[in-house]
Amino acid sequence: MEWQKGELIYEGKAKRVYSVQGSPDYCWLEYKDSLTAFNAQKKGSFEGKGLINSEIATLIFRFLKRRGIPSHWVAKVSPVEMVCERVKIIPLEVVIRNRIAGSTAKKLGWEEGREIPSPLVEFYLKDDALGDPFLSDDQALLVGAVQDRQTLDSLRQQALKINGALREMFSTIGLDLVDFKLEFGMNSKGNLLLADEISPDSCRLWDQQTGEKMDKDRFRRDLGRVEESYREVLQRLKTRWGDQL
Ligand code: ADP
Ligand code: MG
């Protein structure tokens, strides 16, 4: 199938979304080199970041597909671009936590790294102007982020399934999946699909041997070696999974 890039629909913090000529059910995602944190108050970038995240996301979406977990991913069309099924994004950031870190450590007064016996799934409203606030189920329904409780249940169930698969995938490359953010959407057939990206921008990944952070916290907290860490995650994934998926 020959895909033709259409017009720009939306430019986000990390990606540009284009239409696909003649295929309204698809979109064309171009990964940018920019890095943002704290609701884009902190900005940065490095050359090759878009390529790294695009390749990592591709390997992950392919791995999930092998595990029977559907996503929007359709095809890689360039080193920094992929064609995906176009979805109506559910305006929730679905966060899964296996260990305490970041805002939760602060909120509970617990040390970072404490293991969570049974993974937590949380919903945050995807709204930069409001700073992506935490939502209870009732609040998610109240603001109309989803139409019914069943959708929240499906999101939770999918998120936990993805968590199981990804923890396994990352542990094969010596990384601990501490927490991560997912986005879902509805395609034209009315199916709930995993969308957006999964990358060191959206995951906390700690080296199992050294405890070293290998994700966006290096940028958020000025820990240095941001680019090297992103590259290392891709390199390990490619070495282990590159020719298997
Ligand atoms: P943002 O700054 O809003 O987080 P990004 O830079 O991450 O934006 O760009 C991607 C945008 O495209 C996001 O708003 C995301 O929700 C949306 N998106 C991701 N996957 C799809 C898809 N398959 N169909 C439609 N929109 C999508
Ligand atoms: Mg985004």
Side-chain angles (χ1 to χ4, degrees):
M1 172 104 188
E2 265 306 312
W3 301 99
Q4 295 284 340
K5 194 171 184 174
E7 81 276 12
L8 180 68
I9 302 168
Y10 174 79
E11 173 149 8
K13 298 184 290 291
K15 299 181 289 298
R16 292 187 191 91
V17 186
Y18 296 85
S19 63
V20 174
Q21 280 181 34
S23 302
D25 291 348
Y26 296 87
C27 63
W28 181 292
L29 295 186
E30 181 187 291
Y31 285 64
K32 309 198 293 184
D33 286 343
S34 53
L35 259 172
T36 64
F38 310 118
N39 202 4
Q41 288 174 62
K42 180 167 176 158
K43 293 192 175 81
S45 73
F46 66 84
E47 205 182 312
K49 187 260 188 181
L51 185 146
I52 293 171
N53 274 11
S54 165
E55 300 236 311
I56 291 173
T58 296
L59 286 166
I60 290 175
F61 287 135
R62 294 173 93 135
F63 176 85
L64 291 174
K65 191 172 176 180
R66 284 285 197 88
R67 294 298 188 91
I69 298 170
S71 80
H72 67 159
W73 188 83
V74 174
K76 174 176 170 174
V77 280
S78 91
V80 296
E81 295 167 302
M82 54 180 71
V83 166
C84 294
E85 277 195 59
R86 193 161 171 177
V87 297
K88 191 170 182 323
I89 292 282
I90 293 173
L92 292 177
E93 302 212 326
V94 181
V95 173
I96 300 91
R97 301 182 189 278
N98 297 304
R99 287 182 191 276
I100 297 294
S103 61
T104 311
K106 203 169 159 188
K107 173 168 158 177
L108 302 177
W110 287 2
E111 93 276 23
E112 275 209 312
R114 190 194 284 208
E115 224 174 303
I116 300 170
S118 172
L120 299 179
V121 182
E122 300 166 356
F123 300 120
Y124 294 80
L125 184 63
K126 196 173 147 56
D127 186 326
D128 286 343
L130 295 176
D132 299 336
F134 173 86
L135 295 183
S136 68
D137 282 23
D138 289 342
Q139 288 171 341
L141 289 165
L142 176 68
V143 301
V146 292
Q147 295 315 306
D148 47 54
R149 277 181 209 280
Q150 290 91 290
T151 308
L152 292 177
D153 291 339
S154 307
L155 289 172
R156 259 194 203 97
Q157 211 181 13
Q158 269 310 92
L160 289 172
K161 212 166 141 188
I162 293 163
N163 183 44
L166 290 188
R167 283 178 94 173
E168 262 185 68
M169 187 191 203
F170 282 116
S171 79
T172 65
I173 59 163
L175 294 178
D176 197 2
L177 179 60
V178 170
D179 59 29
F180 61 109
K181 181 273 292 181
L182 298 173
E183 291 181 30
F184 292 86
M186 212 69 91
N187 69 7
S188 62
K189 295 175 202 133
N191 297 321
L192 190 66
L193 281 185
L194 171 63
D196 204 50
E197 70 177 277
I198 303 178
S199 71
D201 275 6
S202 62
C203 301
R204 282 198 172 90
L205 298 165
W206 294 359
D207 187 278
Q208 285 174 342
Q209 307 280 271
T210 64
E212 191 86 0
K213 296 180 184 5
M214 307 276 286
D215 54 59
K216 199 161 88 173
D217 273 344
R218 303 207 70 83
F219 169 70
R220 280 193 201 97
R221 303 180 187 185
D222 296 317
L223 301 175
R225 299 179 57 82
V226 180
E227 173 172 355
E228 290 85 345
S229 302
Y230 277 56
R231 265 186 211 292
E232 169 83 14
V233 173
L234 174 59
Q235 202 43 54
R236 288 194 202 179
L237 278 176
K238 261 181 155 164
T239 304
R240 175 63 180 79
W241 294 102
D243 50 12
Q244 308 233 356
L245 299 170

